Amino acid sequence: MAKRLGSQTIILDKQPVILSGAGIVGKKEGDGPLSRYFDDVVDDEYAGEKTFEAAESRILRDTFIKALEKSGKSSTDINIILSGDLLNQCTAASYAFRDVDTPYLGLFGACSTMSESLAIASMLIDGGSVDYAVCAASSHFCSAERQFRYPLEFGSQRTPTSQWTVTGAGAVILGKEGQGPKITCITPGKIIDEGIKDSNNMGAAMSPAAYDTIRSHLIDTGRSVDDFDMILTGDLGSFGSTMLRDLLNRSNIDLKNKHKDCGMIIFDLEKQGVGCGGSGCGCSAVVLSTYILNLFMQGAIKRLLFIATGALLSPTRIQQGETIPGIAHAVLIEA
Amino acid sequence: MKKQISKHEYQRLVDEKAPGSHYVKNLFAAFITGGAICSVGQIVMLVFKNFGADKETTASATSIIMIFIGAFLTGINIYDEIGKFGGAGASVPITGFSNSIVSPAMEFKKEGHVMGVGAKMFLIAGPVLVYGIFASVVAGLVYFIWKQVM
């Protein structure tokens, strides 16, 4: 059985294995620096469907099927699907998996969904109630824009701190046994709200949560930054990453050259006009499921702390004058 | 968070460190874009004048044509690029107003003609219309009272 360590951390006993991962993205992501790692690039923003919401579901389902194929498992082997997205009522995930004959738990953790699903699936496997689970998350630039911002054809400028919602989905198959990197430890995060009101500055809203989770993980486990090959945050973007470093420095924690942010590596920030970088549930999901798993396969990294970060933003509450709560969950992945 | 920094201090730090807008570049782009749109409007106006239209007809016809241009450029996916470049220079002229109505109408067509296009068409322009009309009523009342008194 798993055991609790310190205030927030859980050490897993059975250490679930990441059997495979898949990631499918849109055209802009396909033009980015990680293009060769993706399983497929969908040039059509509708992905052959009639609406953007349907397109997102389609991409998510195709990613799930691809990940299954790569793992050599069939959908009947899977005991549970844990998935979520940014849309109201977890629309993309609910419609993606409605024709899949597998139990499903819908999750909402905003852009932290991927590490939330990995954390829950790991505990389910560790507890012995699940043998194989699918963890997945998706986002779509167009479906997110119409829900959170303006219509696509509305002519407006973005503020410099804004980020670009990634079109894409990532999925990994987690199993009780097999070949692949293992999830050994998780640190579920607390909701941290440092009073940021600007919905165009999600990086600043999320970095205190990332700071808190990283710091708690290090204190609970007694580890230092040097013990990791990489500390990978979800979608803080360039500005959020600056704020994270600043906050950690105040606690005498230096990330050195270990920190990477999925939102900053999925796009070329200079050339692709994405503001401070990528964001959305799909951002960290797709980077983890493709590029990062590839690094593990090559043996380039052996111990990674994955912290997907979410801005638990409600457009209604923001209009009512509220601030943006942030969250970040850490998952330790070891070769 | 075991605080190393207070909420207030964090916000101050964010304001201090956040990358700012390129004011000079944005102002220049807005000037060029807004100027270009207004120049087109001026040309249309002169053409009508040249054909001998009276002042009122010229003003109405120019507005109608500029609104059409804004809607047309929105429909063929160009106005959003103009807006991205020109900022307020593209949104303040009447073509921008047209863009703010046509873009949600296009976007929400998928939700049907009543609850989609009908309900969402004035999503952005709605507040402008409400307060624009309200302001004109107030101005009219002030003008009316002024006339009575003087």
Side-chain angles (χ1 to χ4, degrees):
Chain A
M1 284 293 276
K3 73 167 193 278
R4 274 230 317 277
L5 193 67
S7 61
Q8 276 173 256
T9 301
I10 299 159
I11 302 277
L12 299 169
D13 184 33
K14 278 195 203 150
Q15 306 195 340
V17 182
I18 299 178
L19 298 173
S20 69
I24 298 177
V25 295
K27 187 174 183 306
K28 197 178 179 86
E29 295 71 20
D31 291 337
L34 301 184
S35 79
R36 68 193 174 97
Y37 298 100
F38 302 135
D39 293 276
D40 197 7
V41 176
V42 184
D43 286 337
D44 171 20
E45 57 195 7
Y46 283 105
E49 299 287 339
K50 286 203 173 72
T51 68
F52 296 130
E53 288 78 8
E56 187 177 336
S57 295
R58 173 71 176 271
I59 293 171
L60 180 56
R61 190 172 55 243
D62 289 352
T63 308
F64 159 74
I65 293 167
K66 191 83 200 166
L68 262 188
E69 266 173 35
K70 286 166 106 177
S71 71
K73 299 283 166 198
S74 77
S75 64
T76 49
D77 296 325
I78 305 297
N79 304 120
I80 202 146
I81 297 170
L82 295 142
S83 182
D85 53 88
L86 287 176
L87 304 180
N88 295 337
Q89 297 90 32
C90 288
T91 302
S94 322
Y95 285 80
F97 298 114
R98 71 172 162 181
D99 299 323
V100 177
D101 197 22
T102 306
Y104 158 82
L105 292 176
L107 303 178
F108 180 77
C111 311
S112 72
T113 304
M114 195 58 188
S115 56
E116 184 179 1
S117 66
L118 286 171
I120 297 172
S122 301
M123 290 190 279
L124 291 172
I125 291 173
D126 190 82
S129 50
V130 163
D131 291 337
Y132 296 99
V134 173
C135 303
S138 69
S139 53
H140 191 306
F141 176 77
C142 301
S143 63
E145 282 290 296
R146 75 199 304 250
Q147 179 172 311
F148 291 102
R149 255 181 115 250
Y150 296 119
L152 288 176
E153 297 306 326
F154 180 59
S156 66
Q157 276 176 338
R158 292 169 163 269
T159 47
T161 48
S162 71
Q163 290 174 246
W164 189 277
T165 308
V166 164
T167 300
V172 301
I173 311 292
L174 221 56
K176 60 175 178 174
E177 59 200 4
Q179 285 291 314
K182 295 179 173 72
I183 296 180
T184 57
C185 175
I186 54 183
T187 305
K190 292 178 281 196
I191 296 174
I192 307 286
D193 189 335
E194 286 299 294
I196 298 297
K197 284 188 172 177
D198 182 3
S199 58
N200 286 311
N201 195 354
M202 305 278 209
M206 296 186 290
S207 49
Y211 157 80
D212 188 75
T213 304
I214 292 172
R215 186 170 170 273
S216 302
H217 181 86
L218 295 179
I219 291 172
D220 289 348
T221 58
R223 290 200 177 103
S224 75
V225 171
D226 291 320
D227 294 325
F228 303 93
D229 294 321
M230 191 192 286
I231 293 176
L232 181 72
T233 50
D235 55 354
L236 294 178
S238 53
F239 180 60
S241 298
T242 308
M243 294 312 293
L244 173 67
R245 278 179 181 276
D246 191 292
L247 290 172
L248 286 169
N249 281 342
R250 283 163 197 262
S251 295
N252 296 319
I253 300 168
D254 182 3
L255 287 176
K256 296 171 190 160
N257 57 352
K258 308 275 184 182
H259 176 242
K260 289 248 180 336
D261 183 70
C262 298
M264 288 172 75
I265 54 179
I266 195 166
F267 290 123
D268 185 329
L269 267 55
E270 299 284 317
K271 291 186 190 143
Q272 289 190 288
V274 291
C276 280
S279 67
C281 305
C283 179
S284 57
V286 83
V287 171
L288 180 81
S289 314
T290 57
Y291 172 63
I292 296 297
L293 286 188
N294 196 279
L295 290 181
F296 268 108
M297 265 168 20
Q298 289 170 358
I301 51 172
K302 293 201 157 37
R303 184 185 274 166
L304 165 94
L305 190 65
F306 173 62
I307 312 120
T309 46
L312 302 170
L313 168 117
S314 151
T316 308
R317 295 293 276 146
I318 294 296
Q319 282 172 2
Q320 291 169 355
E322 260 293 352
T323 53
I324 306 169
I327 193 149
H329 307 294
V331 175
L332 184 66
I333 305 173
E334 292 182 89
Chain B
M1 177 155 63
K2 295 222 178 55
K3 295 220 169 142
Q4 303 295 323
I5 183 167
S6 72
K7 244 184 202 188
H8 181 75
E9 205 183 329
Y10 181 69
Q11 283 161 47
R12 197 189 51 76
L13 199 69
V14 167
D15 289 341
E16 184 190 303
K17 292 203 170 189
S21 298
H22 302 283
Y23 285 111
V24 177
K25 189 177 144 248
N26 287 351
L27 284 170
F28 182 72
F31 178 76
I32 295 290
T33 310
I37 292 169
C38 294
S39 303
V40 172
Q42 189 65 37
I43 291 167
V44 173
M45 209 166 138
L46 289 175
V47 168
F48 273 100
K49 255 192 180 160
N50 214 27
F51 279 101
D54 61 55
K55 205 177 164 190
E56 209 165 295
T57 314
T58 305
S60 308
T62 307
S63 296
I64 291 167
I65 285 176
M66 293 312 284
I67 287 171
F68 170 76
I69 292 173
F72 183 71
L73 291 178
T74 305
I76 57 172
N77 304 351
I78 288 180
Y79 207 88
D80 61 320
E81 295 296 332
I82 299 175
K84 211 182 282 173
F85 172 77
S91 56
V92 174
I94 202 162
T95 46
F97 186 66
S98 166
N99 167 254
S100 76
I101 296 171
V102 175
S103 59
M106 286 166 69
E107 179 86 39
F108 293 100
K109 215 176 95 190
K110 305 267 159 43
E111 280 77 26
H113 289 290
V114 179
M115 295 315 286
V117 176
K120 299 280 176 67
M121 198 165 171
F122 294 99
L123 198 67
I124 303 163
V128 182
L129 289 172
V130 168
Y131 292 107
I133 292 166
F134 177 69
S136 70
V137 169
V138 171
L141 275 174
V142 170
Y143 180 70
F144 175 74
I145 294 165
W146 182 261
K147 279 274 226 173
Q148 298 295 312
V149 174
M150 296 304 283

